[in-house]
C-alpha cells in the first residue's frame, strides 16, 4: 500500500477546500432548517460520487424552531440587548416576562453555592467559557444547577468581547426546563453593571415552536476483505449564527477528502471504511445515539474503531479524546508516529461529540480535535457568529485530513484488533452518568 501516494492526493486536491467552502455556503446548518437540508443534499451527492450508493438513516427527533428572542434591561439603564435563544428553550408568554436578575459570574459550583438562596424565581446570568479544557464548566451543567436551585430563566454571556452572542443547547425539552438565551459579552457587562448598582430587572421573551421533526444521517461504505469496519464520522449540523466552519464543516470536508483518497485502496485491506455524516449532534448527540441504538449487537461488534472528526482546525495541535480507552490512545500514538501531525491522546471521558455514543456502547472510538487545552486557539470562537471560513487555515485542514488518512489506513489494514471492545454495562457503571457533561478522570478497563 502506498501511503505516500494517498497522502499526496489529499495534499494536492483542490476538493478539500472546495468542499469546505460549499458546506459553509449552505449556512450554519441548524437542524430542521433549509440550510441543513441543503448541506445534506450536497453531501449525499459527494458520498455517492465515491461509493456509488448512500444510505439515508432517518432520524426522528423532538424538533424546535427558533423564532425570536428579546432581552431588555429595565430600570434607569434601560436598553435592548442582542440575544439568541438556546436550543430547545421553552417559549415565554407573548410579550415576555420580567425577572429579577442574579449575576453568578462564571457560574462555578462555588458561585452557585454562594448565591444559592437568591436564585429561586429569578433569572441567573453566567458566562460562557473556552470549552476544550479539563477545567471548564459546561453550559449544560450550569443550566442544570440553575434549574436545581429554582431559577426561572437562564442567561449566558459570551466571554469574548467583539464577537456577538453565544449559542448552544440548554435543556432537553423537559417540562421543568426554563427559558434560556445567549448574550454578547457587552450585554453581559451591561447586566453586571446594573446588578452592581442595585436590584436589576430584565424583560425576557423567547418565541419558539416545537414539533416532531425528521432529518437523516448519511452513510456510505467501501467494503474491505472481512465484515469488519472502520467508521469515519463527522456531524454536519451546526448553529444558525454563521457558517459553523470550524465546528464542523472542517470535520465533514476532511472526512470527504479521506474517503475519496483511500477508496481505491480499501477493497484490498482487512476492514472496510464506513463514512457517516451525523446530524442533530448539536442538540445532545441525537443522530449518532439513534444510529447506534438501531444497530444489532453483531453490527456494533463489527465496528473495529470509530474515528470522529469534530473541529479539526483552529489550533496548531491535534488531540484525540479517547474516553479512558488506553489501547485506543496507544493506537493513535503509534499510527501517527511516523507521519502526519503528532496527535496527543487525552484520556478523560468527554461527552462533547458523537464519539461519546460509540464509547457508551463499548466501541473503541475517539474524537480528533484541534486546539485542545489552548485557550488562544481560534476554536474559542465556536458557538458564535465568528465561527466562519476566515478562521480556517487551508494548511491546517490539509494536515488534519492527511493525519486522519494515516489513522484510517492503519485501522483498516491492521492484522490484529485495533483496540478491544468493552461491555456497555461496564462502561456505564464506570461513568457517573448523572453528569456526563463534565470530564471525569476515569480509566475504563477492558472487558
Ligand atoms: Zn461539533
Amino acid at each position: 500500500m502506498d501511503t505516500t501516494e494517498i497522502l499526496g492526493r489529499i495534499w494536492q486536491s483542490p476538493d478539500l477546500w472546495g468542499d469546505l467552502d460549499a458546506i459553509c455556503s449552505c449556512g450554519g446548518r441548524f437542524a430542521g432548517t433549509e440550510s441543513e437540508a441543503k448541506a445534506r443534499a450536497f453531501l449525499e451527492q459527494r458520498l455517492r460520487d465515491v461509493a456509488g450508493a448512500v444510505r439515508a438513516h432517518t432520524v426522528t427527533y423532538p424538533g424546535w424552531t427558533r423564532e425570536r428572542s428579546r432581552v431588555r434591561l429595565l430600570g434607569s439603564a434601560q436598553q435592548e440587548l442582542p440575544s439568541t435563544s438556546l436550543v430547545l428553550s421553552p417559549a415565554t408568554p407573548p410579550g415576555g416576562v420580567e425577572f429579577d436578575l442574579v449575576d453568578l459570574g462564571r457560574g462555578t459550583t462555588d458561585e452557585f453555592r454562594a448565591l444559592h438562596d437568591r436564585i429561586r424565581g429569578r433569572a441567573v446570568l453566567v458566562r460562557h467559557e473556552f470549552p476544550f479544557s479539563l477545567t471548564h464548566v459546561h453550559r449544560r451543567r450550569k443550566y442544570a444547577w440553575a434549574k436545581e436551585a429554582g431559577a426561572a430563566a437562564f442567561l449566558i454571556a459570551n466571554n469574548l468581547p467583539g464577537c456577538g452572542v453565544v449559542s448552544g443547547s440548554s435543556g432537553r425539552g423537559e417540562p421543568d426546563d426554563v427559558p434560556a438565551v445567549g448574550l454578547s459579552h457587552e450585554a453581559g457587562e451591561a447586566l453586571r453593571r446594573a446588578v452592581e448598582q442595585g436590584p436589576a430587572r430584565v424583560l425576557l421573551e423567547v418565541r419558539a415552536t416545537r414539533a416532531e421533526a425528521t432529518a437523516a444521517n448519511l452513510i456510505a461504505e467501501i467494503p474491505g476483505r472481512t465484515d469488519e469496519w472502520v467508521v469515519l464520522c463527522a456531524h454536519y449540523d451546526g448553529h444558525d449564527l454563521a457558517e459553523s466552519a470550524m465546528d464542523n464543516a472542517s470535520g465533514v470536508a476532511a472526512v470527504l477528502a479521506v474517503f475519496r483518497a483511500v477508496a481505491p485502496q480499501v477493497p484490498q485491506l482487512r476492514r472496510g471504511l464506513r463514512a457517516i455524516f451525523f446530524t442533530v449532534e448539536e442538540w445532545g448527540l441525537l443522530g449518532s445515539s439513534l444510529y447506534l441504538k438501531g444497530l444489532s449487537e453483531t453490527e456494533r461488534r463489527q465496528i473495529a474503531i470509530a474515528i470522529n472528526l469534530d473541529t479539526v482546525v483552529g489550533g496548531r495541535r491535534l488531540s484525540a479524546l479517547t474516553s479512558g480507552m488506553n489501547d485506543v490512545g496507544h493506537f493513535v500514538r503509534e499510527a501517527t508516529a511516523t507521519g502526519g501531525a503528532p496527535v496527543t491522546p487525552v484520556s478523560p471521558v468527554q461527552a462533547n461529540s458523537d464519539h461519546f455514543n460509540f464509547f457508551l456502547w463499548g466501541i473503541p472510538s475517539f474524537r480528533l480535535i484541534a486546539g485542545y487545552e489552548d485557550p488562544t486557539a481560534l476554536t474559542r470562537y465556536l458557538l458564535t457568529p465568528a465561527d466562519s471560513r476566515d478562521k480556517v487555515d487551508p494548511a491546517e485542514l490539509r494536515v488534519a485530513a492527511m493525519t486522519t488518512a494515516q489513522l484510517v489506513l492503519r485501522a483498516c489494514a491492521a492484522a490484529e484488533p485495533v483496540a478491544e471492545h468493552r461491555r456497555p454495562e461496564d462502561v456505564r457503571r464506570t461513568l457517573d452518568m448523572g453528569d456526563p457533561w463534565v470530564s471525569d478522570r476515569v480509566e475504563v478497563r477492558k472487558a
Side-chain angles (χ1 to χ4, degrees), residues 235 237 247-248 281-282 310-311 352-353 367 382:
H235 73 86
D237 68 311
D247 181 12
N248 187 27
E281 189 270 355
E282 299 285 9
D310 191 351
T311 313
N352 56 18
S353 187
R367 171 186 181 173
L382 260 54

PDB file of all heavy atoms in Angstrom, residues 235 237 247-248 281-282 310-311 352-353 367 382, ligand 1:
ATOM      1  N   HIS A 235     -20.182  15.320  12.341  1.00  0.00           N
ATOM      2  CA  HIS A 235     -21.552  15.857  12.302  1.00  0.00           C
ATOM      3  C   HIS A 235     -21.608  17.046  11.345  1.00  0.00           C
ATOM      4  O   HIS A 235     -20.690  17.863  11.315  1.00  0.00           O
ATOM      5  CB  HIS A 235     -22.067  16.233  13.700  1.00  0.00           C
ATOM      6  CG  HIS A 235     -21.464  17.472  14.292  1.00  0.00           C
ATOM      7  ND1 HIS A 235     -21.961  18.741  14.049  1.00  0.00           N
ATOM      8  CD2 HIS A 235     -20.409  17.653  15.118  1.00  0.00           C
ATOM      9  CE1 HIS A 235     -21.234  19.625  14.717  1.00  0.00           C
ATOM     10  NE2 HIS A 235     -20.279  19.004  15.361  1.00  0.00           N
ATOM     11  N   ASP A 237     -24.470  19.046  11.073  1.00  0.00           N
ATOM     12  CA  ASP A 237     -25.352  20.123  11.534  1.00  0.00           C
ATOM     13  C   ASP A 237     -24.536  21.150  12.316  1.00  0.00           C
ATOM     14  O   ASP A 237     -23.377  20.903  12.668  1.00  0.00           O
ATOM     15  CB  ASP A 237     -26.490  19.567  12.401  1.00  0.00           C
ATOM     16  CG  ASP A 237     -26.003  19.009  13.734  1.00  0.00           C
ATOM     17  OD1 ASP A 237     -25.042  18.222  13.738  1.00  0.00           O
ATOM     18  OD2 ASP A 237     -26.577  19.370  14.786  1.00  0.00           O
ATOM     19  N   ASP A 247     -16.519  24.196  13.382  1.00  0.00           N
ATOM     20  CA  ASP A 247     -17.409  23.218  14.025  1.00  0.00           C
ATOM     21  C   ASP A 247     -18.691  23.098  13.229  1.00  0.00           C
ATOM     22  O   ASP A 247     -19.627  23.815  13.491  1.00  0.00           O
ATOM     23  CB  ASP A 247     -17.693  23.668  15.462  1.00  0.00           C
ATOM     24  CG  ASP A 247     -18.593  22.701  16.223  1.00  0.00           C
ATOM     25  OD1 ASP A 247     -18.805  21.600  15.737  1.00  0.00           O
ATOM     26  OD2 ASP A 247     -19.075  23.091  17.302  1.00  0.00           O
ATOM     27  N   ASN A 248     -18.794  22.262  12.207  1.00  0.00           N
ATOM     28  CA  ASN A 248     -17.865  21.224  11.916  1.00  0.00           C
ATOM     29  C   ASN A 248     -17.718  21.022  10.418  1.00  0.00           C
ATOM     30  O   ASN A 248     -17.580  19.890   9.947  1.00  0.00           O
ATOM     31  CB  ASN A 248     -18.315  19.933  12.615  1.00  0.00           C
ATOM     32  CG  ASN A 248     -17.296  18.835  12.492  1.00  0.00           C
ATOM     33  OD1 ASN A 248     -16.121  19.086  12.356  1.00  0.00           O
ATOM     34  ND2 ASN A 248     -17.770  17.595  12.485  1.00  0.00           N
ATOM     35  N   GLU A 281     -26.403  16.649  16.130  1.00  0.00           N
ATOM     36  CA  GLU A 281     -25.355  16.477  17.144  1.00  0.00           C
ATOM     37  C   GLU A 281     -25.407  17.611  18.147  1.00  0.00           C
ATOM     38  O   GLU A 281     -25.235  17.414  19.351  1.00  0.00           O
ATOM     39  CB  GLU A 281     -23.982  16.428  16.453  1.00  0.00           C
ATOM     40  CG  GLU A 281     -22.815  16.050  17.355  1.00  0.00           C
ATOM     41  CD  GLU A 281     -22.132  17.229  18.029  1.00  0.00           C
ATOM     42  OE1 GLU A 281     -22.468  18.408  17.745  1.00  0.00           O
ATOM     43  OE2 GLU A 281     -21.252  17.001  18.858  1.00  0.00           O
ATOM     44  N   GLU A 282     -25.683  18.802  17.636  1.00  0.00           N
ATOM     45  CA  GLU A 282     -25.660  19.992  18.491  1.00  0.00           C
ATOM     46  C   GLU A 282     -26.799  20.027  19.502  1.00  0.00           C
ATOM     47  O   GLU A 282     -26.884  20.915  20.314  1.00  0.00           O
ATOM     48  CB  GLU A 282     -25.696  21.270  17.624  1.00  0.00           C
ATOM     49  CG  GLU A 282     -24.502  21.422  16.667  1.00  0.00           C
ATOM     50  CD  GLU A 282     -23.210  21.828  17.365  1.00  0.00           C
ATOM     51  OE1 GLU A 282     -23.173  21.828  18.604  1.00  0.00           O
ATOM     52  OE2 GLU A 282     -22.230  22.114  16.667  1.00  0.00           O
ATOM     53  N   ASP A 310     -14.308  16.259  14.706  1.00  0.00           N
ATOM     54  CA  ASP A 310     -15.142  17.398  15.092  1.00  0.00           C
ATOM     55  C   ASP A 310     -14.219  18.556  15.463  1.00  0.00           C
ATOM     56  O   ASP A 310     -13.504  18.475  16.453  1.00  0.00           O
ATOM     57  CB  ASP A 310     -16.048  17.005  16.274  1.00  0.00           C
ATOM     58  CG  ASP A 310     -17.127  18.062  16.530  1.00  0.00           C
ATOM     59  OD1 ASP A 310     -17.057  19.150  15.918  1.00  0.00           O
ATOM     60  OD2 ASP A 310     -18.038  17.787  17.348  1.00  0.00           O
ATOM     61  N   THR A 311     -14.247  19.589  14.611  1.00  0.00           N
ATOM     62  CA  THR A 311     -13.408  20.776  14.822  1.00  0.00           C
ATOM     63  C   THR A 311     -11.924  20.401  14.726  1.00  0.00           C
ATOM     64  O   THR A 311     -11.205  20.397  15.724  1.00  0.00           O
ATOM     65  CB  THR A 311     -13.732  21.438  16.184  1.00  0.00           C
ATOM     66  OG1 THR A 311     -15.149  21.551  16.321  1.00  0.00           O
ATOM     67  CG2 THR A 311     -13.120  22.826  16.267  1.00  0.00           C
ATOM     68  N   ASN A 352     -18.591  15.441  24.551  1.00  0.00           N
ATOM     69  CA  ASN A 352     -18.768  16.656  23.764  1.00  0.00           C
ATOM     70  C   ASN A 352     -18.934  16.435  22.267  1.00  0.00           C
ATOM     71  O   ASN A 352     -18.934  17.393  21.502  1.00  0.00           O
ATOM     72  CB  ASN A 352     -17.624  17.635  24.043  1.00  0.00           C
ATOM     73  CG  ASN A 352     -16.267  17.013  23.779  1.00  0.00           C
ATOM     74  OD1 ASN A 352     -16.179  15.996  23.090  1.00  0.00           O
ATOM     75  ND2 ASN A 352     -15.215  17.614  24.304  1.00  0.00           N
ATOM     76  N   SER A 353     -19.065  15.187  21.826  1.00  0.00           N
ATOM     77  CA  SER A 353     -19.341  14.936  20.416  1.00  0.00           C
ATOM     78  C   SER A 353     -19.748  13.467  20.235  1.00  0.00           C
ATOM     79  O   SER A 353     -19.840  12.717  21.210  1.00  0.00           O
ATOM     80  CB  SER A 353     -18.113  15.280  19.563  1.00  0.00           C
ATOM     81  OG  SER A 353     -18.445  15.190  18.185  1.00  0.00           O
ATOM     82  N   ARG A 367     -12.393  11.178  19.445  1.00  0.00           N
ATOM     83  CA  ARG A 367     -12.668  12.399  18.699  1.00  0.00           C
ATOM     84  C   ARG A 367     -11.337  13.058  18.373  1.00  0.00           C
ATOM     85  O   ARG A 367     -10.531  13.305  19.273  1.00  0.00           O
ATOM     86  CB  ARG A 367     -13.507  13.367  19.539  1.00  0.00           C
ATOM     87  CG  ARG A 367     -13.638  14.748  18.894  1.00  0.00           C
ATOM     88  CD  ARG A 367     -14.356  15.746  19.812  1.00  0.00           C
ATOM     89  NE  ARG A 367     -14.478  17.043  19.132  1.00  0.00           N
ATOM     90  CZ  ARG A 367     -15.172  18.086  19.598  1.00  0.00           C
ATOM     91  NH1 ARG A 367     -15.812  17.987  20.758  1.00  0.00           N
ATOM     92  NH2 ARG A 367     -15.214  19.223  18.931  1.00  0.00           N
ATOM     93  N   LEU A 382     -15.994  29.146  18.667  1.00  0.00           N
ATOM     94  CA  LEU A 382     -17.089  28.220  18.402  1.00  0.00           C
ATOM     95  C   LEU A 382     -18.381  28.695  19.076  1.00  0.00           C
ATOM     96  O   LEU A 382     -18.312  29.334  20.131  1.00  0.00           O
ATOM     97  CB  LEU A 382     -16.725  26.832  18.954  1.00  0.00           C
ATOM     98  CG  LEU A 382     -16.217  25.814  17.924  1.00  0.00           C
ATOM     99  CD1 LEU A 382     -15.054  26.347  17.132  1.00  0.00           C
ATOM    100  CD2 LEU A 382     -15.865  24.516  18.586  1.00  0.00           C
TER     101      LEU A 382
HETATM  102 ZN1  LIG B   1     -19.045  19.871  16.934  1.00  0.00          ZN
END
